[in-house]
Amino acid sequence: MPRPVETLKLTPEQRRVAHMAASLLLEYPGPEFATRMPLIESSVAALPEPLAAEFATFLGHARAVSSTALEQEYVATFDLKRKCCLYLSYYAAGDTRRRGTALVAFLEAYRAAGWEFEADELPDFLPAVLEFSARSDSPVAAELIAAHREGLEVLRAALARIDSPYAAVASAVCMSLPEIDVATRERYLTLVNEGPPTETVGLSFLGNLAPYSPTGAPHEEVRA
């Protein structure tokens, strides 16, 4: 049975760098990906060694394969495998009616921090949530991603199980988050065993995230 990764004590700036790097690396590796890599490599090199090593593992792989191969690998990993989904609400709500409510909660969290989500992706898309965490000073951003820690651990474990290079990026994200409690670990183990729900169950899609309403602060745009 896979165990959650050890977490690291990071400064707010280190966490921002890690989350922004992970956001860029977990997006589809389109034409701009190669030009972004040098900047990502230089930014993550200053992170604590265990974290920098995870990013270096993935970046080394990305440099070793062709852009076409990396694109194909991305699609095969994230579009075709149920437990490797990049949409966070899927791990707790699955393909159920509760998924819609979960997505609304993500939008409310963005607005509570003074952001407006304007992107082609759904608001629970992991790269968008990571960018939100990296760029927002609001505690809502940190609480939003931390509330979905069990889903992130399931994603990491699933990627590791298929020996995907993306497992290193998922591990880096999990390392950057607060240590998980017993209840979160139990939910994680359940999800690892059973996968996302296919019908409505009693698992909270918000974890420990409190409800928020818009603050009326000036809005910024979240990319996805």
Side-chain angles (χ1 to χ4, degrees):
M1 178 63 64
R3 297 178 60 84
V5 299
E6 295 290 332
T7 58
L8 300 173
K9 291 185 178 180
L10 303 178
T11 67
E13 181 58 27
Q14 288 172 331
R15 187 170 290 106
R16 286 176 184 274
V17 170
H19 286 187
M20 195 66 235
S23 172
L24 294 171
L25 295 176
L26 289 172
E27 289 183 348
Y28 179 78
E32 297 180 356
F33 186 81
T35 60
R36 290 174 175 173
M37 277 205 294
L39 179 59
I40 297 172
E41 286 173 327
S42 63
S43 65
V44 301
L47 293 173
E49 195 280 331
L51 200 54
E54 295 290 358
F55 283 117
T57 295
F58 176 80
L59 288 164
H61 171 79
R63 285 198 175 280
V65 301
S66 68
S67 58
T68 299
L70 194 63
E71 290 169 4
Q72 292 174 340
E73 189 171 49
Y74 185 95
V75 171
T77 300
F78 296 118
D79 292 356
L80 303 179
K81 293 180 172 58
R82 185 165 174 251
K83 288 186 179 181
C84 297
C85 178
L86 288 177
Y87 297 92
L88 291 178
S89 67
Y90 180 71
Y91 290 98
D95 289 323
T96 70
R97 287 173 293 180
R98 296 178 65 235
R99 182 90 187 277
T101 305
L103 294 175
V104 170
F106 274 86
L107 291 174
E108 290 178 346
Y110 287 119
R111 290 169 183 158
W115 290 54
E116 190 66 35
F117 188 86
E118 297 178 359
D120 294 333
E121 287 288 354
L122 295 173
D124 63 339
F125 186 50
L126 178 55
V129 178
L130 286 165
E131 182 178 353
F132 179 45
S133 174
R135 295 177 58 195
S136 175
D137 292 326
S138 171
V140 177
E143 292 176 8
L144 180 63
I145 192 167
H148 292 271
R149 176 62 183 274
E150 59 266 33
L152 288 167
E153 288 286 358
V154 174
L155 172 63
R156 179 193 61 79
L159 291 169
R161 188 175 296 114
I162 62 173
D163 200 26
S164 168
Y166 283 100
V169 183
S171 291
V173 173
C174 291
M175 283 180 177
S176 73
L177 298 178
E179 187 174 354
I180 63 174
D181 57 23
V182 174
T184 299
R185 175 176 168 76
E186 289 177 352
R187 289 196 299 269
Y188 154 66
L189 293 175
T190 298
L191 284 171
V192 167
N193 286 329
E194 300 177 3
T198 54
E199 61 183 3
T200 300
V201 295
L203 182 64
S204 169
F205 60 82
L206 284 180
N208 296 321
L209 181 65
Y212 291 99
S213 59
T215 63
H219 287 156
E220 297 182 67
E221 181 179 334
V222 179
R223 288 190 305 103

